[in-house]
Amino acid sequence: MIYIIHIYINYNNPPDMNSVGEACTELKREYDQCFNRWFAESFLKGERSGEPCGDSFKRYQLCVQRAIKEKDIPVDGVDFMGPNKDKPES
């Protein structure tokens, strides 16, 4: 249900919302655009196979994990979502 969560977040936040790390903002926009295109052009038409935007998501996820580590943001008790669901290394 990753997509349902993303849809909620994506449609309830401003589309220009920056990422947790400045360096990740462009990757976030690329992923958001890919996801929104897939959602409108495939998911809503019943096509739910595969892992759409997986490469974009992984690049963005790695960038966010680096930013979290660099900013020393506490992540204890946080549930991560995505293909590998790994927490940033401490």
Side-chain angles (χ1 to χ4, degrees):
M1 291 289 117
I2 293 168
Y3 302 117
I4 303 302
I5 294 167
H6 178 81
I7 293 164
Y8 176 80
I9 293 169
N10 200 34
Y11 284 100
N12 286 291
N13 288 315
D16 294 353
M17 186 173 176
N18 290 335
S19 181
V20 66
E22 269 186 55
C24 305
T25 298
E26 187 56 36
L27 292 171
K28 177 189 181 300
R29 288 189 182 124
E30 287 175 16
Y31 171 71
D32 285 345
Q33 287 174 352
C34 179
F35 180 87
N36 290 334
R37 187 173 38 255
W38 168 80
F39 183 75
E41 296 173 5
S42 299
F43 185 83
L44 291 177
K45 295 177 182 173
E47 185 182 319
R48 293 172 176 89
S49 62
E51 198 173 308
C53 310
D55 291 337
S56 295
F57 180 79
K58 287 174 188 173
R59 284 191 303 273
Y60 175 54
Q61 182 184 46
L62 288 172
C63 188
V64 168
Q65 288 175 342
R66 279 192 302 270
I68 287 171
K69 185 176 179 183
E70 289 169 4
K71 293 180 179 207
D72 200 27
I73 297 172
V75 293
D76 292 335
V78 175
D79 291 329
F80 286 80
M81 59 184 209
N84 63 12
K85 298 182 183 185
D86 292 334
K87 291 185 181 182
E89 293 181 19
S90 323

